[in-house]
């Protein structure tokens, strides 16, 4: 242990105010301005409050307690807290930010009980050992970690701003897609693109798997504009026996079920499972334009889904989706602007990764 540091139980350095928590069922909540907190953050806003101050909340049940999960977070001001989060008031000789960083950095699995409903009981919470440096060192550690986490948050905000810029450029160049205020010719997708679905090779035939052909599922689309690899690959035999059609580079993946509305552009040739209706553009459409046109239209796309067990957009319905057709030269100009934005995002993402590595190393240095 570092010189001058002590190890104390969490219960020794805080007051636990769980007895003051009050849960409110959703039907009994009245809408208001005060945050209603649960295990991992704001659950709602209500018209009254039971706490007024600064507290550290730690998930009791319904949370995640692995390393770097949001198992703990600080609240401040007037609020309401339900019975899914422990509420802690830290003593004056220890920083609540230091304790928050520590708890979030640690894997708390060993303190969790309950097979059906995992839970961090108050008794277990009290027993968690906490490193307590001298107060001046606590302040220095928190200042350093706050600085690094602030840089990461600022860069993540920059990524969101660049995504918003792409949307803004699209509207400036092409107008609002729904009203088509620029008067572009409107055609159904079947006239200007080929819609290609997919399938899943039999999972019990080993010869179909671990091949060299990329094969994508909707679960692999996490909001990125492009996809360059897949979690699983299939063999040539699987392609032939399953009668799969290859999606060329620049295909726009469109998830058509579970869930509907995810979009992505392929950067390598690949195949897909049956959860997609993919758009392969003709010479009248640029993939970047089609992606931006479909992006964010989840509500509309969901309205096209049919089915009793689960909703799905059929190939016939996808082919009927109408799309304005601006000049391809204008679409290409848009794509060039997007390329510059994506290059900038790539640099920011790399910077985030480097800062996160530094942040994690400092956390490890202080707390391990």
């Amino acid at each position: 242990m570092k010189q001058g540091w002590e190890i104390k139980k969490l219960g020794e350095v805080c007051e636990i105010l769980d007895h003051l928590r009050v849960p409110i069922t959703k039907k009994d909540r009245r809408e208001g301005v005060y945050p209603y907190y649960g295990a991992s953050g704001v659950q709602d806003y209500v018209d009254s409050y039971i706490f007024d101050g600064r507290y550290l909340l730690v998930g009791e049940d319904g949370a995640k307690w692995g390393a770097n999960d949001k198992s703990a977070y600080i609240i401040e001001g007037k609020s309401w807290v339900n019975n899914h989060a422990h509420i802690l008031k830290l003593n004056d000789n220890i920083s609540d930010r230091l304790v928050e960083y520590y708890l979030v950095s640690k894997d708390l699995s060993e303190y969790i009980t309950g097979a059906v409903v995992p839970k961090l009981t108050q008794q277990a919470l009290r027993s968690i050992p906490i490193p307590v440096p001298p107060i001046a060192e606590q302040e220095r550690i928190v200042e350093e970690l706050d600085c690094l986490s602030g840089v990461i948050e600022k860069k993540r905000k920059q990524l969101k701003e660049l995504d918003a810029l792409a949307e803004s450029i699209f509207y400036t160049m092409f107008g609002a897609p729904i009203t088509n205020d620029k008067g572009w010719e409107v055609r159904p997708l079947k006239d200007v693109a080929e819609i290609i679905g997919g399938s899943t090779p039999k999972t019990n035939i080993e010869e179909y798997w671990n091949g060299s052909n990329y094969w994508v599922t909707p679960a692999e689309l996490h909001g990125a504009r492009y996809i360059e690899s897949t979690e699983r690959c299939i063999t040539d035999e699987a392609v032939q026996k399953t009668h799969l059609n290859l999606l060329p580079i620049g295909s726009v993946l469109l998830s058509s079920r579970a869930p509907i509305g995810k979009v992505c552009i392929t950067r390598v040739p690949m195949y897909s499972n049956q959860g997609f209706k993919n758009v392969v553009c003709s010479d009248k459409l640029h993939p970047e334009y089609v992606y931006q046109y479909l992006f964010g239209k989840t509500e509309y796309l969901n309205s096209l889904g049919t089915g009793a067990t689960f909703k799905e957009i059929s190939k016939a319905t996808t082919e009927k989706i109408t799309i304005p057709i601006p000049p391809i030269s204008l679409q290409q100009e848009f794509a060039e602007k997007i390329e510059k934005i994506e290059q900038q995002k790539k640099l920011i993402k790399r910077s985030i990764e480097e800062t996160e590595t530094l942040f994690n190393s400092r956390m490890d240095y202080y707390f391990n």
Side-chain angles (χ1 to χ4, degrees):
M1 186 167 59
K2 297 178 178 62
Q3 187 174 3
W5 289 41
E6 298 180 83
I7 297 293
K8 294 189 176 182
K9 302 292 185 184
L10 183 54
E12 298 179 81
V13 296
C14 72
E15 182 183 3
I16 299 178
L17 305 175
D18 290 359
H19 62 287
L20 300 177
R21 302 175 303 181
V22 179
I24 319 174
T25 61
K26 192 165 187 177
K27 66 181 179 65
D28 292 329
R29 292 177 210 161
R30 291 183 295 186
E31 186 177 350
V33 297
Y34 303 108
Y36 178 81
Y37 291 104
S40 55
V42 176
Q43 306 296 306
D44 207 343
Y45 288 87
V46 294
D47 67 341
S48 188
Y49 63 92
I50 54 176
F51 293 100
D52 185 5
R54 182 179 171 98
Y55 304 96
L56 176 66
L57 302 191
V58 184
E60 179 175 355
D61 57 75
K64 294 181 179 180
W65 299 277
N68 301 316
D69 284 331
K70 192 180 177 181
S71 53
Y73 61 98
I74 288 174
I75 64 170
E76 195 163 11
K78 296 179 173 66
S79 63
W80 198 296
V81 182
N82 68 22
N83 59 348
H84 297 294
H86 297 293
I87 183 161
L88 284 60
K89 182 72 174 176
L90 275 297
N91 299 345
D92 292 339
N93 63 347
I94 188 166
S95 163
D96 54 6
R97 287 287 284 156
L98 183 81
V99 177
E100 178 191 17
Y101 277 126
Y102 178 75
L103 292 176
V104 170
S105 74
K106 304 301 289 184
D107 183 353
L108 302 177
S109 302
E110 64 182 287
Y111 300 96
I112 307 305
T113 56
V116 179
V117 181
K119 186 172 184 176
L120 175 63
T121 66
Q122 188 180 128
Q123 182 181 1
L125 178 74
R126 290 180 181 277
S127 71
I128 296 173
I130 299 290
V132 183
I135 192 66
E137 192 164 2
Q138 291 182 41
E139 293 171 355
R140 182 180 61 77
I141 292 170
V142 168
E143 183 179 3
E144 179 185 351
L145 296 178
D146 278 349
C147 178
L148 291 172
S149 61
V151 169
I152 293 169
E153 186 58 35
K154 182 178 179 180
K155 291 182 182 296
R156 286 177 177 162
K157 184 179 178 182
Q158 289 174 341
L159 290 178
K160 291 181 180 179
E161 289 170 349
L162 287 171
D163 285 335
L165 176 61
E167 186 77 3
S168 175
I169 291 172
F170 180 88
Y171 275 78
T172 300
M173 294 182 69
F174 305 115
I178 295 176
T179 59
N180 190 23
D181 51 330
K182 298 213 172 185
W184 308 117
E185 177 189 11
V186 177
R187 305 276 291 276
L189 276 176
K190 68 177 182 179
D191 288 357
V192 286
E194 182 181 5
I195 307 303
I196 297 178
S199 186
T200 300
K202 291 182 178 180
T203 55
N204 61 344
I205 300 180
E206 292 184 11
E207 291 78 8
Y208 286 0
W209 300 93
N210 301 317
S212 58
N213 302 295
Y214 291 121
W215 178 80
V216 65
T217 70
E220 296 175 63
L221 274 55
H222 302 296
R225 195 180 192 96
Y226 307 111
I227 184 167
E228 299 181 1
S229 63
T230 58
E231 294 175 6
R232 303 187 71 184
C233 292
I234 57 176
T235 62
D236 291 339
E237 184 179 357
V239 171
Q240 294 165 5
K241 296 290 178 63
T242 315
H243 306 293
L244 285 164
N245 293 311
L246 183 66
L247 302 170
I249 295 172
S251 298
V252 181
L253 303 180
L254 171 62
S255 64
S256 55
R257 69 181 190 188
I260 293 173
K262 288 184 177 182
V263 286
C264 193
I265 302 174
T266 62
R267 281 288 178 91
V268 294
M270 64 179 60
Y271 301 90
S272 82
N273 79 348
Q274 61 274 25
F276 292 95
K277 300 297 180 291
N278 305 300
V279 182
V280 179
C281 300
S282 69
D283 57 4
K284 294 184 180 296
L285 286 178
H286 196 287
E288 295 288 358
Y289 171 76
V290 176
Y291 170 91
Q292 202 69 49
Y293 179 76
L294 295 173
F295 180 78
K297 293 181 173 56
T298 307
E299 185 175 345
Y300 163 69
L301 293 168
N302 267 282
S303 72
L304 302 178
T306 58
T309 307
F310 57 84
K311 282 191 173 184
E312 179 175 13
I313 306 177
S314 68
K315 180 179 179 182
T317 298
T318 307
E319 290 177 334
K320 291 176 184 177
I321 293 174
T322 56
I323 184 169
I325 312 295
I328 192 65
S329 58
L330 194 63
Q331 296 182 46
Q332 180 62 45
E333 183 183 338
F334 171 72
E336 290 168 1
K337 293 179 185 293
I338 294 300
E339 180 62 29
K340 291 178 181 178
I341 289 174
E342 288 298 318
Q343 288 175 1
Q344 186 65 29
K345 285 174 64 178
K346 190 173 183 179
L347 293 174
I348 293 172
K349 287 176 181 177
R350 185 182 304 157
S351 178
I352 289 174
E353 290 173 359
E354 291 170 353
T355 309
E356 285 178 335
T357 298
L358 176 58
F359 177 84
N360 291 334
S361 71
R362 298 307 291 166
M363 292 273 278
D364 186 66
Y365 172 76
Y366 290 127
F367 299 135
N368 292 322

